[in-house]
Every structure is written in structure tokens, then in C-alpha cells.
Amino acid sequence: MTATRLGLASLGSLPPASAPRVDPGSLGVGIVHLGIGAFHRAHQAVCTEDAIAAGGGEWGICGVTQRSRAVVDQLGPQDGLYTLIVRDGAAERLRVVGSVREVRWAQADAEGLLERIAAPATRVVTLTVSEKGYHHDPATNRLRSDSPEIAADLADGGTRTVLGQLVAGLDRRRRAHGAPVSIVCCDNLPHNGPVLAGLVREFAARRGGERLLGWLGESVRFPATMVDRITPATTGADRARVAAALGVRDEGAVVTEPFSQWVIEDDFAAERPAWELSGATLTADVRPYEHIKLRMLNGSHSTLAYLGILAGHEFAADAAAPDGPLAALLRCLMMTEVAPTLEVPAGFDLAAYAEEVLHRFANPALRHRLAQICMDGSQKLPQRLLGTIRDRRRAGAEPVIATLGVAAWMRFVSTRRSDRGRGLVVEDPLADQIADRLAGREAPEQVVDALLALRQVFAAELASDAVFRDLLIEHLRRLAADGAEATVRGMTG
Ligand code: CS2
């Protein structure tokens, strides 16, 4: 066990190639980030460090953890420093990142968090709180009326939820000095900027914040973004690897792939880091990119995860093996069902993109658990698969593969077992509602009808589509009779 903990004091002992690209000790905070999990540390925090190295600016990050204080314990004693491990097959690069300058736990330090959002030096607030972190219904983009935490924050102006935190922090800022600020959603939601803007306004209106609403319109922008980098949960073996390679103990290390993409709507209320100098694309319209990413990559990822876990796989790379039936199925999903629904920017090679997605899924150095991708399906399916299905149905087509992805989710939440009988855990904010609706229902028609009635997930147009329903029932029958593996083989010939 290596005794020396990574931190400002141990930076001098790092191999020069792994040292931070900025001087963390002298970097002031300019960004508040809500939801400092592995994804933020592997994506925006890295891009921000590179942007500071290339273009300067006081853009250190105050990272805020939401549910548990684990990240405070990991990064606090390390002065915010952590190692980024980039793996591709047998190749590996390690780099210590220095852009995170402080870490706070929202539930224990609401005052510190609100002060940071209000501070004049803060000009950007970014978020990665996952789909469910917004407490909205994905089918309508409205606040969930049944969320007890939202109801509590609305009642007392509290900060249990990110919306409560944003609205209280922005109101404090307005009262203190009113300097403009940009709120940048970095979660895998379609139109994430406008959706977050709508939720913040809805929340503020229900708090009776007339003045705040006026100021939001004048001084706050919500640019939309598309984010992409596969980042599995870190394991003990990854931390041991850092200790062996760098000679320091790092409790905050993250593992990721070489690929990284960030497309940002260039609509900021005030200054921002020079992210375009570090590989990000700043553009007037993010929508084509976000559709491509959510439907091609994430739609395939969810389809892979539900079918793969039913078939008995544990890791994405095994399920997506290049010559295996699932890779063939996903290629077909992307090129024959998703592609016709997309508006593709000039010069963008969609077939090459699809091949790159499959190559990334099959990266054997990423131990990406399918169970991690299976989580929160009710919040993910609408933008990943249901948009494709709706658009294909409107065009009179029968999207058989995308509906198989949805049927696999239905089987996953209804049987909670793999085809070989291994118990599977359904982690989902709607898990209780789903279980209630499914109680006593096992026949494919019953399962399909019970789940199609989840109006937060399936909008009326799809829920009442008889062709969609029939496809789901047929797929569920096949999955029950033959298992996921044979079903996929049967479809890929
Ligand atoms: C994955 C995503 O967990 C999931 O649902 O599909 O986190 C995926 O790895 C990222 O969106 C890749 O950018």
C-alpha cells in the first residue's frame, strides 16, 4: 500500500508527463459544477484544464456532490487532484488533472454552495446529475408533480434538489449584484439547455419569483450541449494501478476511453473558458449532434445493455464483441432504423460514426458493467429509442430492432432475471410504480399494456400505436421462449 496521498504536496514526485497542465495551487474558481461524478472528471474537467492551459482564465472548478459525501472524502484530502486513466486495448495513459479546486457536499454545505453560485467570479455553472436528477417527466419535460423532494424544496425554498439549488443560488446572485451567468447542462437529454431552462422557470414561478423570472430572461443563458465519453465506474484495481504507476494513493481516479466529444451551443451570458481551444465544438445549433449521439450511441448502448444482460453478459465489451450477433444487430439498428430519422450535418460520415461507436463499445480495456447502463431505463428510453420509433412509425415503417430494445427493457424490469436465472436489480426512480403495475401480470400482452400505460415514459401517440404494441408483444414472446441470444441471432441471420 502506497502511503503518500496524491495532493499539491506530492505533485513534485509525479513523472513530468503525468503532471497537471495548469498550476492548481494558483487557480481561482470560476465554474460551479453540480454532480461531480466520474463523468465530469473524465470529460468537462479535462477539457476545462486544457482550455485554461491554452487560453488562460480563472476557470477552476468548485465541484458539488449531491447524494453522498463520498467524492468529498476522495478529493478533499487530495486538494481536488485526481488521475485520469485513458485506456484503449493494451494502451494506457495516466494524467493528473488540476482544474477541480474545491469540493462541496450540497446536503451539508448549502450555504457555501449558494455563495459560490452567487459569487461574481462564477460565470458558468455546469451540471451532470444524470437524467433523473432533474425530477422531470421525460415524456413531457415538466417537473414531476409526485416528487417529494421537489415538493419540499418548493415549500421551503430548500436545496435538496439541483433545481432548488439553482433557483436559490440564482436568486441570491440577482439580489447581490445581478451579474450574468450561464448554466450549462451536460446530461444526455435532448434539448438539455432549453429543458433545464424550462424546469428552472417552472420551479421559480411556483415559488412566486416574479423578479427572478424577469432577471432569468435578461441575464441567464442555458446553452444546450452534447457530451460523449464512455466512463465506467472506477474499481479497486484501477486505483492500485495508479499507485503502481505514479507512486501515490489516489482515491479519486477515473478511467475512460480516448474518444471525447463536446458540442456546445455558443449562447453564453458572460465569459466562458476557451473550450474551442481544447477540442470542443462551439456551434449555433447542437440539435443534429445531440440526435445523432442519443439515438445512435445511447440507443445502441441501452439495446446492448438489456439484451446483453438477459443473455448473461456482465460487461459491455463482451456483449459487443466485433464478430458477435449483438454488434451486427446494433449496426443494423443504427444504419437502417436510426439513420433515416437524423438530420446529418454536411460532411458528417454516419456509417463511419456507427463503426466507431461499435469499436468503442468493444474496447476490452473498459470494464463497463451492463448493469450500470441498464440503470434508470424509464428516464433514458424516450430520448434513446422512443424518438426513433415514433419517427419511423410516422414514416409508416416498422422499427423492429428499436422495439426489440424496448421489449428487452420490459423483460428486464418484469422478470428481473437473466435467461439463465441470475437475479438482476432494477434501479430506476420509477421502480416502485413499475413493480406495482406489473404485480400479477406475466403474459406478454399484460406486461406490454401495463408498461405502455406509464405516461411519464410513453407519450400517448406511441402508447396507442397498435403496430408498436404488436411488435413489443411478439418480441417479448420470442425473448421468453428462445432467450435473448437466440432472438438476436434469429434477427441477424
Ligand atoms: C451510457 C452512457 O450509462 C449509460 O446509460 O449509455 O453513460 C454512455 O456511456 C455515455 O453517454 C457515453 O457518452
Side-chain angles (χ1 to χ4, degrees), residues 255-392:
V255 180
T256 191
E257 58 174 344
F259 184 97
S260 183
Q261 194 179 15
W262 196 7
V263 184
I264 308 168
E265 184 185 6
D266 202 357
D267 179 24
F268 283 74
E271 304 97 317
R272 58 164 174 80
W275 283 313
E276 70 278 15
L277 300 181
S278 55
T281 305
L282 276 293
T283 174
D285 188 4
V286 175
R287 276 172 305 178
Y289 298 95
E290 106 197 345
H291 266 138
I292 292 173
K293 196 265 171 167
L294 290 169
R295 293 187 180 186
M296 298 279 281
L297 185 142
N298 293 114
S300 298
H301 228 187
S302 289
T303 303
L304 175 77
Y306 295 120
L307 287 166
I309 212 160
L310 291 173
H313 293 293
E314 193 173 349
F315 295 105
D318 300 329
D323 299 329
L326 268 162
L329 185 86
L330 299 182
R331 180 174 289 114
C332 206
L333 167 68
M334 287 189 272
M335 295 318 295
T336 63
E337 297 186 0
V338 179
T341 73
L342 300 174
E343 180 194 321
V344 182
F348 192 101
D349 184 342
L350 206 58
Y353 181 88
E355 289 311 313
E356 188 172 29
V357 163
L358 293 173
H359 178 75
R360 292 168 60 198
F361 286 177
N363 182 350
L366 293 186
R367 307 302 282 159
H368 199 184
R369 284 182 191 282
L370 295 172
Q372 191 183 341
I373 308 166
C374 287
M375 275 173 52
D376 302 336
S378 70
Q379 313 296 299
K380 294 175 175 173
L381 289 186
Q383 57 273 20
R384 295 182 175 206
L385 289 169
L386 301 183
T388 296
I389 295 171
R390 184 203 55 217
D391 289 354
R392 292 307 286 148

Side-chain angles (χ1 to χ4, degrees), residues 148-192:
E149 290 161 294
I150 289 287
D153 278 355
L154 279 171
D156 65 6
T159 54
R160 301 162 189 84
T161 64
V162 291
L163 290 172
Q165 292 161 20
L166 277 179
V167 169
L170 290 172
D171 204 36
R172 184 176 291 203
R173 187 176 181 96
R174 174 187 69 80
R175 288 165 195 269
H177 51 81
V181 62
S182 308
I183 316 289
V184 187
C185 178
C186 300
D187 277 296
N188 281 316
L189 298 170
H191 323 309
N192 55 10

